[in-house]
Amino acid sequence: MDRKQSTPENPVLVNREPDGIAYVTINRPKLLNSLTKAMITDLARIFKSLNQDDSVRVIILSGTGRAFCSGVDLTAAEDVFKGDVKDIETDPVAQMERCKKPIIAAVNGFAVTAGFEIALACDIVVAAKGAKFIDTHARFGIFPSWGLSQKLSRIIGANKAREVSLTATPLTAEVGERLGFVNHVVGETELLKKAWEIAEAIVKNNQDMVVRYKAVINDGVKLDLGHALTLEKERAHEYYNGMTKDQFRKMQEFIAGRSSKKPSSKL
């Protein structure tokens, strides 16, 4: 297990569990988990490292205290924004998007601006009742660079996204679930448990196919349906052509073994 103790010197915590689930925790609760330049760089480094770690199969991202992440620490805005926003090595969202492993956001309290963008960079979002997602770019004169201006409109529709972003209107977890960017809304005490249940269900599956399936979904949503279907066909052809007779035999044995067991409960 790779555990960092909760201290002011460790505003981002990492915990690798033996079951293949890694926990990343934004740990600056007194300042609502606002991000410094060092924290941003650290998050990027951590996600890159977890992506390269074969023992990690799923990642759960959360925040301590009353917020998931309240955005960039604006008292250090120049230090953060004067950097090269195109540098993917220090960009946590870019590293999350490159990560082959599924990332589950466990959102409590506030997910504001950069925090909202980090949540949208996750593959699955679980939110506590009372959680709020807010885009304050327009309010504070901050130009988005982690994808919120493009991703939100593709999920909830351009008209609704314009209203949310241009008015800085908070969206509750319940509204987020209706609009489609929140998967589950649960009680605050159940938040990490629900995220863990989803992660555990993923871990039980074929890891190679989990990675491939995430990739084809994420790559496909960037295309129109016709090209996305072609992409699926091409990758399926590549996958099956690369399988040996022994791999097909093991697949059939695995399916036979699973079909003899009771189906798992729905998420």
Side-chain angles (χ1 to χ4, degrees):
M1 185 183 298
D2 175 8
R3 184 183 292 275
K4 292 184 179 180
Q5 298 301 316
S6 179
T7 69
E9 290 76 29
N10 289 321
V12 183
L13 308 177
V14 184
N15 178 18
R16 290 173 170 87
E17 295 286 0
D19 59 3
I21 301 171
Y23 293 84
V24 178
T25 308
I26 304 172
N27 180 47
R28 204 182 180 212
K30 290 183 179 179
L31 292 171
L32 299 178
N33 296 325
S34 59
L35 302 173
T36 64
K37 179 67 172 179
M39 290 170 67
I40 290 169
T41 302
D42 202 21
L43 277 169
R45 178 191 60 77
I46 287 166
F47 278 103
K48 183 175 182 178
S49 174
L50 293 175
N51 185 40
Q52 295 170 343
D53 186 342
D54 291 338
S55 72
V56 174
R57 302 182 67 171
V58 184
I59 302 164
I60 295 175
L61 175 63
S62 64
T64 55
R66 297 186 297 114
F68 173 72
C69 173
S70 62
V72 169
D73 185 345
L74 294 181
T75 64
E78 184 174 0
D79 182 43
V80 173
F81 297 126
K82 281 290 187 179
D84 184 359
V85 296
K86 296 182 289 185
D87 180 8
I88 62 172
E89 291 300 315
T90 60
D91 183 336
V93 168
Q95 292 301 326
M96 291 169 73
E97 290 170 344
R98 286 184 158 207
C99 185
K100 298 176 182 179
K101 322 294 175 63
I103 304 172
I104 303 168
V107 178
N108 59 300
F110 297 99
V112 182
T113 313
F116 197 168
E117 290 175 303
I118 288 171
L120 290 183
C122 296
D123 300 292
I124 297 168
V125 177
V126 182
K129 294 176 182 176
K132 289 185 172 65
F133 299 82
I134 313 170
D135 180 6
T136 62
H137 283 105
R139 178 178 294 171
F140 295 114
I142 302 168
F143 202 95
S145 60
W146 285 356
L148 194 53
S149 68
Q150 303 304 310
K151 291 179 183 177
L152 191 62
S153 62
R154 285 162 169 78
I155 299 169
I156 70 174
N159 280 13
K160 188 64 178 177
R162 279 191 286 264
E163 179 184 0
V164 168
S165 297
L166 301 183
T167 65
T169 300
L171 297 175
T172 65
E174 292 78 9
V175 171
E177 186 178 33
R178 290 201 299 271
L179 291 174
F181 65 83
V182 172
N183 295 76
H184 301 277
V185 179
V186 297
E188 189 171 348
T189 59
E190 299 294 309
L191 182 62
L192 284 175
K193 178 184 176 184
K194 183 63 179 178
W196 176 82
E197 288 174 352
I198 297 170
E200 185 186 38
I202 293 171
V203 166
K204 289 179 179 178
N205 291 328
N206 181 295
Q207 180 62 13
D208 178 59
M209 185 51 65
V210 166
V211 169
R212 290 174 183 270
Y213 214 144
K214 169 181 168 170
V216 77
I217 292 172
N218 288 1
D219 292 343
V221 295
K222 300 170 187 174
L223 308 172
D224 62 73
L225 181 58
H227 286 95
L229 291 172
T230 299
L231 175 70
E232 182 190 70
K233 291 286 189 187
E234 289 172 348
R235 292 196 184 175
H237 178 75
E238 177 187 349
Y239 177 72
Y240 290 121
N241 268 11
M243 288 183 68
T244 64
K245 288 184 180 294
D246 186 54
Q247 286 174 317
F248 274 110
R249 179 183 58 79
K250 288 180 179 179
M251 176 196 287
Q252 291 168 324
E253 289 174 354
F254 179 79
I255 292 169
R258 288 298 292 266
S259 62
S260 65
K261 299 177 182 177
K262 290 182 179 180
S264 60
S265 59
K266 293 182 178 179
L267 291 174

